[in-house]
Amino acid sequence: MEPLSQRGLPRLSWIDTLYSNFNYGTEEYDAEGNEEPKVPSSSSETMPYIDESPTMSPQLSARGQDGGRGREGPESVSPTPPDGLGTGSDRDAGKGVDMRRLVLKDFLTSEEMYINQLEALLLPMKPLKATATTSQPVLTIQQIETIFYKIQDIFEIHKEFYDSLSPQVKNWDSSVTVGHLFQKLSSQLGVYKAFVDNYKIALETAEKCSQSNNQFQKISEELKVKGPKDSKESHTSVTMEALLYKPINRVTRSTLVLHDLLKHTPSDHPDYPLLQDALRIAQNFLSSINEDIDPRRTAVTTPKGETRQLVKDGFLVELAEGSRKLRHVFLFTDVLLCAKLKKTGAGKHQQYECKWYMPLAELVFPSLEESDPCPHVHAMPDHDLEDMKIKISSMKNEVQKEKANKGQSRAMERLKKKMFDNEFWLLLNSPSIPFRIHNRNGKSYLFLLSSDYERSEWREAIQKLQKKDLQTFVLSSVELQVLTGSCFKLRTVHSIPVTSNKDDDEPPGMYGFLHVIVHSAKGFKQSANLYCTLEVDSFGFFVSKAKTRVFRDTTEPQWNEEFEIELEGSQSLRILCYEKCYDKSKLNKDNNEIVDRIMGKGQVQLDPQTVQTKNWHMDVIEMNGIKVEFSMKFTSRDLSLKRTPSKKQTGVFGVKISVVTKRERSKVPYIVRQCVEEVEKRGIDEVGIYRISGVATDIQALKAAFDSNNKDILVMLSDMDINAIAGTLKLYFRELPEPLLTDRLYLAFMEGIAVSDPLAKENCMMHLLRSLPDPNLITFLFLLEHLKRVAEKEPVNKMSLHNLATVFGPTLLRPSEVESKGGLSLASDIWSHDVMAQVQVLLYYLQHSPISFAELKRNTLYFSTDV
């Protein structure tokens, strides 16, 4: 049987009147990035989800002599034309009574069908429970309770409602009242909330049980539903998945009927206030569960009667006319539509403007040989993006301070608006992964994405739809208007994906360091060269953070590699598994990189309670038949950067730099010299050197080798991945018992960098360097010159002075003990004013002309370290 989510769902033209009663709370934005976006009011409501499937939409019967022409299912009836509707006050009383009866009669028919569906769902429950206590159970009691959760309660509620409403409709006259019945039904919607909360796990449990038990699979594939009393068909076969979705649809059905009843009920009728109250309860309930309902089961019907179902939508950055534009892209069952939300005046209904559309029958993904080089994409320098992240994080802290001090205020609203503008700029300028689609007739479009996972999702969704027998077409202006007009109601992504759009009660995400060990993978059908990448969400969008080594020619790779990933308000971790391609002819002309094939991908939510423990949490992601095993644990930023002196008298990590240099009789510690030498020898051209995470297990191996003064350390360095060597150098400075620039001078550095007069700042900052102990100063100057040489290769390695200052600033300056700032010591303090200042201090010295140790010491000018 065809899956429920893929069925054609016709839609009613008159249903638009319902939506005018809701406040959608959609934020305005300028998709071209030219004007300042408007921050939505915190009081705005979410648009209630409305499903308009043939079995669930209230369709007023306008039967002709044929007694039901156009019926598509046992409970579907012909729609009433728009001009057939009006308020009760617009019509004579008799007409209003007739319309109320028609609405109720049709609803009663569908209610009977709904009860039959629930009954069919409950039918196998009793025998399944009976076998659960035997030696050969089909399902366990827990599985049964999960799959059939609250179905019995819902059945009893609707059976009672039906039994009460049916005699009222049969014995209809102008004095009949039904408002109290709908009011009672609405008051019992709490059971639906419990059902919706359990719906996803119920489906997953049913699917797993079907895969593992053939007997249950047969039961769940063909449940028998009784037809209506007047139907020729005694039974129809329906899948369990389809029936489990019925309760979710039913709430919207009841809400729409209430809306229709009110239209045809005079305001002085005893039912009117009761129906109003019932509708209010139902609408509030819909809003509360809107995000939990699968939104893909929505559709629009064109004037020609063609049904188009929305499959996927989201915000993408399009490269159009040489500049970046934020678009809302809608994938329907047979067409891809690219739109932008039009600016409208206050109080006016918001609409989308279609920029272009492409029938899926004409859409192709150009092969590498066919594709032309993409137009030049102006890539924003990394340091500008990092600067913006710093600004945004600083603003977040200011918003938190405003909330703590004054609550809602005009100052905070201005701050939120400015933060939204900055996040919008970051969203527009960060993506760099090309996603090109091509029309067979010659027109191409190019999107830029920040995540390969996202690119793969769009490609797979389109290719899945293209497996069907699709026809090409041209939309008339009216059809295009109808399709574009439906986008606002059907969309599943309501807000631009920036963190300032989050509600106050939404979780802020995790800030700190996520340690991930990628252990192994199974399920590959043939040997290949395999590796994984890790993505996390940051500032509202996903970015790639780490990559395993390639495990060659295997079906069961054993990576066992550990990574430390910095989290910035992150809520999800994604793992992508690739097959490495070494064929240089497979070069992507869009970014000059060899294209590797995605074998599978998966995602897990980062639950703070699960990963914020001292122990590793092991998990498995299943993807296309492949299982990737990994472990996670989380460390807050404060804990990860806390400097703890080593208890050992030997070794170099956690030992004062003066002790190490004295023991080695050197000016710069051996570990610093060797790591710098190796990076300059073979890592200075490495993209993202010092920014890309090295494998944690390799870093720990090098740490142990340096601590034990292993005689094979040079051999190890020459064989080790260069990112692990860079990571070892960073770890050494991070684990010093006090920062390289010392605790004693920390506040002076913070004050010195804030001096506005250039000459005074120069004198102060040079004097502070002279005040450092000699081993600290010499090591700092040695590292400074190395980082400058790395930055000289910025066109190749993409590491600017600013990027390097961002990586090393907090490591070299963060004091041993950070005093708590009371309530303002938030998790989101990752980019606090202190951290910004630490970056600026290092950047000042990196941008300064070469600094000589001898010249510093020769200078006889003395300044107080107090600025």
Side-chain angles (χ1 to χ4, degrees):
M1 183 172 180
E2 189 178 10
L4 183 66
S5 59
Q6 295 301 320
R7 294 184 193 168
L9 304 179
R11 153 182 171 80
L12 302 174
S13 58
W14 59 267
I15 210 70
D16 295 344
T17 56
L18 173 64
Y19 290 90
S20 62
N21 292 322
F22 296 125
N23 173 20
Y24 300 113
T26 303
E27 51 292 306
E28 293 180 12
Y29 68 94
D30 177 11
E32 309 300 330
N34 298 323
E35 297 176 20
E36 294 186 341
K38 180 180 177 181
V39 179
S41 166
S42 59
S43 63
S44 62
E45 299 176 12
T46 308
M47 180 189 77
Y49 165 79
I50 303 296
D51 184 276
E52 294 159 13
S53 69
T55 60
M56 293 301 149
S57 298
Q59 305 175 38
L60 302 181
S61 177
R63 293 186 180 91
Q65 298 298 318
D66 59 0
R69 184 179 42 144
R71 293 164 71 95
E72 292 186 26
E75 58 175 312
S76 170
V77 292
S78 302
T80 297
D83 56 5
L85 297 180
T87 62
S89 59
D90 292 334
R91 306 170 186 278
D92 57 78
K95 183 76 170 177
V97 171
D98 287 342
M99 292 301 292
R100 291 181 74 222
R101 183 180 64 81
L102 283 174
V103 172
L104 288 169
K105 192 176 179 182
D106 282 329
F107 180 60
L108 203 59
T109 302
S110 71
E111 187 74 1
E112 178 196 351
M113 191 63 205
Y114 179 50
I115 291 169
N116 291 345
Q117 290 163 346
L118 293 174
E119 207 168 25
L121 199 52
L122 289 170
L123 195 62
M125 188 173 74
K126 288 182 181 178
L128 285 171
K129 278 188 175 180
T131 64
T133 55
T134 65
S135 59
Q136 292 183 321
V138 179
L139 301 181
T140 65
I141 289 291
Q142 185 178 357
Q143 288 170 334
I144 294 167
E145 289 177 349
T146 301
I147 294 169
F148 298 97
Y149 186 66
K150 294 296 180 183
I151 298 295
Q152 183 70 45
D153 294 343
I154 294 172
F155 171 77
E156 290 171 3
I157 289 170
H158 282 270
K159 186 73 168 66
E160 181 187 350
F161 173 75
Y162 178 85
D163 290 343
S164 301
L165 182 62
S166 182
Q168 299 287 71
V169 176
K170 286 178 182 176
N171 305 313
W172 185 261
D173 62 41
S174 59
S175 62
V176 169
T177 58
V178 296
H180 62 291
L181 298 177
F182 280 94
Q183 190 181 41
K184 183 180 179 180
L185 183 65
S186 293
S187 69
Q188 295 173 309
L189 286 175
V191 70
Y192 275 93
K193 180 68 171 78
F195 176 84
V196 169
D197 289 342
N198 182 71
Y199 173 67
K200 185 177 179 182
I201 192 169
L203 275 187
E204 290 173 352
T205 304
E207 186 178 350
K208 287 179 181 177
C209 292
S210 291
Q211 291 173 353
S212 60
N213 189 296
N214 291 333
Q215 195 174 349
F216 181 72
Q217 184 181 17
K218 291 178 181 177
I219 294 170
S220 62
E221 283 180 351
E222 286 198 14
L223 294 173
K224 302 295 183 183
V225 179
K226 284 191 297 187
K229 294 173 184 176
D230 59 347
S231 173
K232 292 181 181 179
E233 293 183 15
S234 58
H235 289 84
T236 55
S237 295
V238 185
T239 65
M240 183 172 288
E241 180 195 1
L243 290 180
L244 282 172
Y245 190 71
K246 295 299 179 181
I248 289 180
N249 266 346
R250 197 64 196 169
V251 184
T252 60
R253 164 73 178 178
S254 303
T255 305
L256 293 169
V257 168
L258 282 167
H259 183 270
D260 241 14
L261 276 175
L262 271 172
K263 279 186 175 183
H264 306 296
T265 302
S267 58
D268 58 352
H269 192 286
D271 268 351
Y272 195 85
L274 299 176
L275 293 172
Q276 270 192 321
D277 188 51
L279 180 60
R280 176 188 58 80
I281 295 170
Q283 285 179 350
N284 289 340
F285 176 75
L286 275 177
S287 295
S288 70
I289 67 167
N290 182 51
E291 294 305 320
D292 297 319
I293 298 175
D294 183 354
R296 292 174 297 173
R297 304 170 193 264
T298 52
V300 60
T301 302
T302 67
K304 291 182 178 178
E306 297 166 338
T307 301
R308 290 197 175 92
Q309 182 183 339
L310 179 64
V311 176
K312 181 178 175 63
D313 70 300
F315 288 95
L316 299 180
V317 174
E318 183 187 13
L319 190 67
E321 299 171 359
S323 61
R324 295 169 181 252
K325 315 283 187 182
L326 188 66
R327 306 297 195 206
H328 200 152
V329 181
F330 295 85
L331 176 61
F332 291 91
T333 41
D334 65 344
V335 64
L336 186 73
L337 186 141
C338 180
K340 72 173 260 194
L341 192 60
K342 292 197 291 190
K343 286 255 181 196
T344 55
K348 291 188 178 180
H349 187 72
Q350 290 183 308
Q351 294 179 332
Y352 279 99
E353 172 191 338
C354 176
K355 303 305 293 184
W356 52 266
Y357 73 90
M358 189 184 300
L360 297 189
E362 298 178 10
L363 188 154
V364 292
F365 297 106
S367 66
L368 299 175
E369 295 79 13
E370 295 170 342
S371 64
D372 299 322
C374 75
H376 175 69
V377 180
H378 174 65
M380 195 60 60
D382 283 349
H383 63 82
D384 285 347
L385 298 175
E386 293 300 329
D387 277 345
M388 186 58 75
K389 290 179 182 179
I390 292 171
K391 285 182 185 176
I392 292 167
S393 297
S394 177
M395 286 178 184
K396 285 181 185 177
N397 292 330
E398 290 182 44
V399 168
Q400 295 298 330
K401 289 177 185 177
E402 284 287 335
K403 284 182 181 177
N405 297 333
K406 303 174 185 176
Q408 294 290 333
S409 66
R410 287 187 178 180
M412 187 159 74
E413 287 306 312
R414 286 196 297 269
L415 199 59
K416 279 186 174 181
K417 183 182 184 306
K418 193 171 181 182
M419 187 169 83
F420 181 86
D421 294 346
N422 288 338
E423 286 195 292
F424 184 86
W425 182 93
L426 190 64
L427 180 69
L428 206 59
N429 290 284
S430 293
S432 59
I433 298 174
F435 176 51
R436 187 198 292 267
I437 59 173
H438 183 70
N439 191 304
R440 294 184 194 278
N441 297 325
K443 180 69 174 174
S444 289
Y445 300 94
L446 178 64
F447 294 105
L448 298 173
L449 285 68
S450 61
S451 158
D452 204 14
Y453 191 104
E454 186 181 5
R455 176 169 64 174
S456 176
E457 278 190 323
W458 278 99
R459 185 188 291 267
E460 287 172 8
I462 291 170
Q463 289 175 333
K464 185 176 180 180
L465 293 171
Q466 288 180 324
K467 290 179 180 177
K468 300 177 182 179
D469 183 22
L470 299 174
Q471 303 297 319
T472 189
F473 55 84
V474 176
L475 294 176
S476 68
S477 58
V478 174
E479 288 176 309
L480 185 58
Q481 186 178 2
V482 170
L483 185 62
T484 308
S486 73
C487 290
F488 190 83
K489 299 164 194 146
L490 301 185
R491 62 187 183 156
T492 67
V493 181
H494 296 269
S495 303
I496 299 172
V498 293
T499 56
S500 51
N501 270 346
K502 284 185 177 180
D503 295 331
D504 291 342
D505 58 351
E506 286 189 63
M510 299 176 68
Y511 291 82
F513 292 91
L514 183 70
H515 301 265
V516 181
I517 300 176
V518 183
H519 295 293
S520 59
K522 295 179 181 178
F524 297 98
K525 294 179 180 178
Q526 56 187 29
S527 294
N529 304 314
L530 303 165
Y531 69 94
C532 287
T533 63
L534 309 179
E535 294 182 354
V536 296
D537 52 321
S538 171
F539 294 89
F541 51 90
F542 280 84
V543 289
S544 183
K545 287 284 190 175
K547 175 181 173 182
T548 69
R549 60 169 60 91
V550 179
F551 214 93
R552 289 177 177 257
D553 194 25
T554 182
T555 58
E556 294 190 2
Q558 301 283 331
W559 293 290
N560 293 314
E561 295 182 46
E562 182 183 340
F563 301 93
E564 182 184 78
I565 297 173
E566 189 170 10
L567 304 182
E568 300 165 298
S570 307
Q571 294 180 318
S572 302
L573 168 70
R574 289 172 170 176
I575 297 182
L576 296 93
C577 191
Y578 292 84
E579 179 185 6
K580 182 69 178 175
C581 176
Y582 292 101
D583 185 353
K584 292 185 178 180
S585 66
K586 304 289 186 183
L587 197 67
N588 190 332
K589 296 179 183 177
D590 284 337
N591 56 12
N592 291 319
E593 292 182 2
I594 293 176
V595 178
D596 297 335
R597 184 161 69 100
I598 295 179
M599 304 294 286
K601 62 187 189 304
Q603 175 173 311
V604 291
Q605 293 299 113
L606 296 176
D607 178 11
Q609 293 182 344
T610 302
V611 298
Q612 282 182 323
T613 62
K614 292 181 180 179
N615 301 322
W616 287 93
H617 169 70
M618 185 171 282
D619 206 343
V620 173
I621 286 185
E622 296 190 27
M623 45 177 88
N624 298 348
I626 300 165
K627 293 182 179 181
V628 176
E629 190 177 89
F630 65 101
S631 298
M632 297 184 291
K633 70 176 180 179
F634 173 79
T635 309
S636 70
R637 187 173 176 83
D638 285 339
L639 285 175
S640 67
L641 289 180
K642 188 176 181 180
R643 301 179 186 277
T644 51
S646 173
K647 295 179 182 178
K648 302 177 297 180
Q649 297 301 314
T650 58
V652 293
F653 282 83
V655 180
K656 285 186 177 181
I657 196 167
S658 57
V659 173
V660 172
T661 51
K662 186 176 181 180
R663 185 201 307 145
E664 293 178 353
R665 297 180 182 178
S666 62
K667 293 181 178 180
V668 176
Y670 179 71
I671 181 174
V672 176
R673 286 182 281 122
Q674 290 304 317
C675 288
V676 164
E677 181 180 326
E678 199 65 33
V679 169
E680 293 194 1
K681 184 189 299 181
R682 60 188 178 91
I684 204 161
D685 290 334
E686 186 80 11
V687 174
I689 188 69
Y690 289 120
R691 180 176 57 81
I692 299 294
S693 299
V695 177
T697 44
D698 289 348
I699 294 172
Q700 291 303 317
L702 284 172
K703 176 184 176 180
F706 277 112
D707 267 341
S708 62
N709 196 22
N710 191 313
K711 61 181 181 180
D712 295 326
I713 187 67
L714 293 179
V715 176
M716 286 182 67
L717 284 171
S718 62
D719 291 340
M720 197 67 74
D721 176 69
I722 198 63
N723 287 315
I725 295 169
T728 304
L729 181 61
K730 289 188 294 181
L731 183 66
Y732 169 73
F733 286 117
R734 188 192 297 174
E735 291 194 356
L736 284 174
E738 74 163 354
L740 187 64
L741 299 189
T742 72
D743 287 331
R744 179 177 63 89
L745 297 176
Y746 178 72
L747 289 178
F749 276 112
M750 295 299 98
E751 293 168 355
I753 198 64
V755 172
S756 55
D757 179 76
L759 183 58
K761 179 184 279 190
E762 165 81 8
N763 290 334
C764 176
M765 298 299 280
M766 290 303 113
H767 173 67
L768 288 171
L769 286 186
R770 284 194 298 275
S771 303
L772 288 170
D774 281 1
N776 298 58
L777 176 57
I778 294 171
T779 301
F780 177 68
L781 295 179
F782 179 81
L783 179 65
L784 207 62
E785 292 308 307
H786 164 63
L787 296 179
K788 287 181 179 180
R789 288 191 290 272
V790 172
E792 287 173 2
K793 295 282 191 173
E794 180 189 357
V796 180
N797 61 33
K798 310 299 182 188
M799 293 299 291
S800 63
L801 290 174
H802 194 289
N803 288 347
L804 293 165
T806 301
V807 171
F808 277 94
T811 301
L812 300 180
L813 278 127
R814 187 180 179 87
S816 308
E817 297 294 331
V818 181
E819 293 184 10
S820 173
K821 298 180 182 178
L824 296 178
S825 183
L826 303 166
S828 58
D829 200 32
I830 185 172
W831 284 112
S832 64
H833 286 293
D834 280 358
V835 174
M836 290 170 64
Q838 291 160 14
V839 171
Q840 292 302 316
V841 168
L842 182 55
L843 186 61
Y844 177 85
Y845 291 121
L846 285 171
Q847 292 174 336
H848 198 280
S849 55
I851 302 169
S852 161
F853 174 79
E855 285 181 13
L856 278 173
K857 290 299 182 181
R858 277 200 302 269
N859 196 321
T860 55
L861 291 175
Y862 294 94
F863 296 88
S864 168
T865 56
D866 296 327
V867 180

